[in-house]
Amino acid sequence: MDQWDRYLDPTIQTISLITQYQNFYNQGKFEEANGVIENNPILKRIIVNASTMNKTLDAIMALQRFYFSDFQAYLQNIIQLKGEYASTVKYPKYSVVTYIVHDNTEAFLCLSGNCPIGTPPTNTNFWTPWTARGEKGDSGTGLTPRGTYSITKDYYVNDMVSYNNVWWYATRDNVEVTPSESDRTWVALLKFSADLLTFDNHETTLRSSTFQNALAELAKRGEHVTPVTLTAAGWSETLPYEQTVDVPGGSAELSPIMVSMLPDGAELAAQKAYNKAFGILSSGTAFLNDGSATFKVYKKPAVDITVGLKGV
């Protein structure tokens, strides 16, 4: 953290020094003016000059860079997924565990740096719930089936409809926007053969067991992470720098999330190099093709980096 001094208003004791500084400055005697400040350090907390403003500028730029390129990697590294809760384990701050509550598996985040061993995640003095769950009978978060698409209906974000033997979900509130791959109002979720899928009064009817298999495959795909490696030498020579890598199972219809694959226990130098490269990728763009992914950045990562594509 940079050390910042609080600024002061002029006083009777300092006004003569300020006047001396201003006289030298107005006469163009800048070396003598700076000497007054250096010989009287209290003036650094009263007189605003280029040094003061540059320090403020550097601090603002550092803060902007952090949120622009480093914040996602910071969050991914600070939160530690620990799996199923164990009463014999000492959990550090920001650990996330799963714990069964009333026959439901829920997630909890540790918010204490000194959580005693054996403290159950239901103890809100040390843990906070990470699982959103509505009251019994209410819909939770997620997709809402709205039947067959109708141009006369209003639709809202995460509504799901059937249209042309495809399940689509809405990415924003809309009306009179027919599901199509030409824009991102609707995104294709699942495609079925023409004789497989029908909707009737918001109830889904399938003429085979393929529906259950499709849902299982969708859930499996949503959690699956495909690792891809981008090499430091593999970027193009001109801006924006591009690199295309093989992604088995990749498709332009998918919208994966890039996740960190920093090895557990990596040395500090390796962590810093990885986080810097990951931040560069996060500030760029990427898109999937059939069997590949293309990344575009405006600064080349200095190291080879392996990231995960969740949902492929």
Side-chain angles (χ1 to χ4, degrees), residues 85-300:
Y85 171 77
S87 60
T88 58
V89 174
K90 173 70 173 178
Y91 289 104
K93 193 174 184 179
Y94 303 124
S95 296
V96 174
V97 301
T98 58
Y99 189 71
I100 296 177
V101 179
H102 301 306
D103 297 326
N104 295 310
T105 300
E106 301 186 6
F108 294 83
L109 171 69
C110 180
L111 292 179
S112 172
N114 188 29
C115 181
I117 295 176
T119 304
T122 51
N123 187 325
T124 56
N125 291 324
F126 299 95
W127 299 86
T128 187
W130 250 33
T131 303
R133 184 160 53 89
E135 297 296 329
K136 184 176 181 181
D138 295 343
S139 296
T141 58
L143 302 179
T144 303
R146 294 289 306 279
T148 302
Y149 173 78
S150 171
I151 199 169
T152 62
K153 293 181 180 179
D154 292 344
Y155 291 101
Y156 306 95
V157 63
N158 288 334
D159 279 355
M160 182 175 66
V161 299
S162 158
Y163 184 74
N164 283 348
N165 299 300
V166 178
W167 272 357
W168 306 81
Y169 74 89
T171 60
R172 62 180 178 87
D173 297 350
N174 69 90
V175 63
E176 297 184 358
V177 180
T178 303
S180 167
E181 295 182 350
S182 62
D183 68 39
R184 297 292 294 178
T185 301
W186 295 93
V187 174
L189 188 64
L190 278 178
K191 295 184 178 181
F192 296 88
S193 61
D195 63 345
L196 183 62
L197 175 64
T198 61
F199 275 97
D200 182 19
N201 295 329
H202 294 192
E203 295 294 330
T204 308
T205 304
L206 287 167
R207 299 192 180 98
S208 79
S209 62
T210 306
F211 174 62
Q212 297 298 334
N213 296 335
L215 286 184
E217 181 61 28
L218 177 63
K220 180 179 178 181
R221 185 179 73 189
E223 294 301 321
H224 184 264
V225 176
T226 298
V228 297
T229 300
L230 297 106
T231 64
W235 297 98
S236 63
E237 294 299 323
T238 57
L239 283 171
Y241 304 116
E242 296 187 19
Q243 187 168 162
T244 299
V245 293
D246 292 335
V247 180
S251 169
E253 298 175 355
L254 301 179
S255 299
I257 299 173
M258 187 177 73
V259 297
S260 171
M261 296 197 73
L262 178 65
D264 187 26
E267 295 183 355
L268 181 59
Q271 291 185 38
K272 290 183 177 180
Y274 185 96
N275 290 339
K276 184 175 182 179
F278 190 90
I280 292 174
L281 293 182
S282 300
S283 64
T285 60
F287 58 88
L288 278 175
N289 294 310
D290 292 338
S292 67
T294 299
F295 292 77
K296 294 183 180 181
V297 296
Y298 288 86
K299 180 180 180 181
K300 293 182 181 181

Side-chain angles (χ1 to χ4, degrees), residues 45-62:
R45 301 173 61 187
I46 299 175
I47 296 176
V48 176
N49 56 17
S51 176
T52 307
M53 299 306 298
N54 286 337
K55 183 176 181 180
T56 305
L57 174 64
D58 290 342
I60 294 173
M61 291 182 64

